[in-house]
Amino acid sequence: MTEHVSGRDVLRQAKELYEPYRNDVAPTGRRVAIIRFQPAENDPPDWKIKLEASKVSAEQKVKSFEHLGFQADHVVMPPGTTRAQFAEVLERANQDPKTRAIIVQFPPPAHLQPLVQRMDPAKDIDALTKGRSPYNACATAEGICRVVEPFAKDDPVIAVVGSKGFVGQGVVTTLREQGHRLMELDAGDDLRRVRDADIVVSVTGNPGILGPDHLRPHHRLVVDSGFVPQADGSVKGDVQREAYDIPQHLTPVPGGIGPVEMATLMERVVRREVDPDAPSWKVDPRPYLTKDQLTQGAREPSPATVTATQPAQAAQGQQAAGQPGAGGSQGPGQQASGGPTAGARTAGGAAGPQNPGPQASGSQAAGAQATGSQAAGAQAAGSQAFVGNPIAQAARLRTGAGHGGVGPGTVHPTAGPSAPTRAQSPVPPKPPTPGAPGR
């Protein structure tokens, strides 16, 4: 029911766009340095997992840059690397005229992290040098914002979970510059607040931090930027698999934001080194339903939904007839907000209990107001079934399944609502032309 937004499709598009530049790059012998760190045997398991993710990312970068005709220097720093050794590697890359870009895979060991700032800012294509890079945000953050943009033309609320982290700060800065309304969440915040957002971006790297207690069918897009390798060879993201079918669109893990990061880096280096006017990769607009459209559909179920009611549900509607004082109707997927605060692990803390409240009772008022006729009871039960399964409801409205025509409550998917659209986001910044100072 949920449609995946494939990062692999984005990367394939980028490779096709920038393939023609290979003939210009390959003969020059230009290089990109990719530096990562290797764990020691006695390092903590969590640290080993982070460096394993760093290894996977570095290997993907090697393939991406070599596709463009660059020589990729994959530098692996051994366990116990000293400050002097790391500084020497950075300085060598800074001084080499053939090395056009430098990437340090995060996280480096804590005692080496300050040395990253010694990187030549002119060669920093991933915004690691804190305001001195030609770019305002890392490639991952820029890629996320470009995936979000087609879903954000009507001023939605965008929740950023992990907003204080390295990637999260870049996402927040970029979206705020574009004028979007943000909900910033991090360690200690109640993550159930994302229920009130229209779009959810999670950049914590904490596996399964978001689940069915957080995501809703009205979420038009959920961006999962988590990537945590597991011992069995699988990979986990921030979103629990149990919640994958809840939102309307989702970037999967793996195959979502990771390839988008590669596409963004490819675009940046081509624009820096070959053609400042090289085309941008894009994510095409997708149909989605707004929160108001879902609510409208729940309150006014179409005739097709009513006639599909099971006999047992119709009998329930008959029993409800003539019983004044029945509970009122609630919207789809609403749950009580009770229970302890959800423990946000976005800064490495432990997650607290996640106790969903009771499910909404559905359209009980319809049964209470029924006259006792079988048709009225069936209609009440049909409405209850429609509201009680918000996932099926969202899919029904998105696809128009079961609607032979335009009946009451019929909602047709659109590429956003009819509200005034937001101005197009700025084109990604064009870097200085080759030969700029500091190269």
Side-chain angles (χ1 to χ4, degrees):
M1 296 182 182
T2 296
E3 182 178 353
H4 287 180
V5 180
S6 172
R8 293 188 175 117
D9 288 345
V10 169
L11 182 55
R12 188 178 302 112
Q13 177 192 156
K15 287 182 175 180
E16 292 173 356
L17 283 173
Y18 309 130
E19 172 72 24
Y21 297 104
R22 180 181 177 86
N23 292 337
D24 296 323
V25 174
T28 66
R30 295 177 183 177
R31 294 192 288 268
V32 176
I34 303 161
I35 306 169
R36 70 174 178 89
F37 298 87
Q38 197 170 31
E41 286 294 329
N42 58 347
D43 279 341
D46 288 351
W47 179 250
K48 289 182 178 180
I49 288 175
K50 291 179 180 179
L51 293 191
E52 178 61 25
S54 172
K55 175 185 175 182
V56 173
S57 178
E59 291 172 346
Q60 291 174 344
K61 291 181 175 73
V62 169
K63 293 179 181 178
S64 298
F65 291 125
E66 287 182 344
H67 179 82
L68 299 175
F70 289 89
Q71 296 179 21
D73 291 340
H74 187 179
V75 182
V76 180
M77 306 300 294
T81 297
T82 66
R83 289 174 57 90
Q85 290 169 332
F86 183 36
E88 180 182 355
V89 170
L90 283 177
E91 186 60 24
R92 186 165 60 245
N94 285 341
Q95 298 300 325
D96 179 17
K98 292 288 187 179
T99 300
R100 311 303 290 177
I102 306 171
I103 297 174
V104 177
Q105 290 292 124
F106 265 57
H111 70 288
L112 301 179
Q113 187 164 335
L115 296 178
V116 174
Q117 300 308 308
R118 297 189 183 184
M119 184 194 311
D120 181 354
K123 298 184 178 185
D124 177 15
I125 63 170
D126 209 15
L128 300 177
T129 52
K130 293 185 178 179
R132 296 181 293 135
S133 167
Y135 304 95
N136 294 329
C138 67
T140 302
E142 180 189 329
I144 289 171
C145 295
R146 290 168 66 176
V147 170
V148 165
E149 189 60 28
F151 298 88
K153 301 296 186 182
D154 58 319
D155 197 29
V157 175
I158 305 172
V160 181
V161 183
S163 59
K164 295 181 181 179
F166 174 67
V167 176
Q169 288 179 22
V171 171
V172 167
T173 298
T174 303
L175 292 178
R176 184 178 290 131
E177 288 175 350
Q178 295 173 358
H180 293 292
R181 290 191 294 157
L182 302 181
M183 177 191 299
E184 301 177 36
L185 298 169
D186 212 280
D189 293 326
D190 184 353
L191 298 190
R192 290 172 298 182
R193 289 174 55 197
V194 303
R195 298 170 180 174
D196 298 326
D198 301 291
I199 295 172
V200 179
V201 174
S202 188
V203 290
T204 72
N206 287 294
I209 195 170
L210 297 181
D213 194 31
H214 308 94
L215 304 186
R216 291 290 177 265
H218 71 256
H219 286 143
R220 60 185 72 169
L221 173 67
V222 173
V223 175
D224 185 350
S225 185
F227 187 91
V228 182
Q230 303 298 300
D232 62 0
S234 64
V235 177
K236 289 187 177 181
D238 287 4
V239 176
Q240 299 170 20
R241 292 288 171 175
E242 293 82 358
Y244 258 43
D245 288 334
I246 297 178
Q248 298 176 48
H249 298 87
L250 174 89
T251 63
V253 176
I257 295 302
V260 168
E261 177 194 5
M262 302 304 132
T264 304
L265 288 170
M266 292 174 72
E267 179 180 311
R268 287 182 175 185
V269 76
V270 165
R271 287 188 167 188
R272 283 179 63 84
E273 297 300 320
V274 189
D275 181 8
D277 297 316
S280 296
W281 59 262
K282 294 179 175 62
V283 174
D284 293 330
R286 316 273 182 107
Y288 59 81
L289 293 174
T290 66
K291 192 183 303 184
D292 289 342
Q293 287 173 323
L294 281 172
T295 302
Q296 176 187 354
R299 290 177 178 173
E300 298 177 331
S302 70
T305 304
V306 175
T307 56
T309 305
Q310 298 294 325
Q313 294 172 324
Q316 292 175 0
Q318 288 179 324
Q319 293 174 359
Q323 294 179 1
S329 174
Q330 296 181 356
Q334 290 180 344
Q335 294 181 326
S337 59
T341 300
R345 295 188 295 164
T346 54
Q354 299 174 348
N355 295 334
Q359 184 75 24
S361 60
S363 301
Q364 296 174 348
Q369 296 171 358
T371 62
S373 68
Q374 183 176 0
Q379 183 174 3
S383 177
Q384 186 175 12
F386 191 69
V387 175
N389 189 345
I391 299 174
Q393 168 197 328
R396 181 189 302 276
L397 297 180
R398 251 191 344 268
T399 61
H403 299 307
V406 180
T410 301
V411 181
H412 293 287
T414 60
S418 57
T421 57
R422 176 183 301 281
Q424 190 70 22
S425 62
V427 175
K430 295 179 180 178
T433 56
R439 309 287 295 283

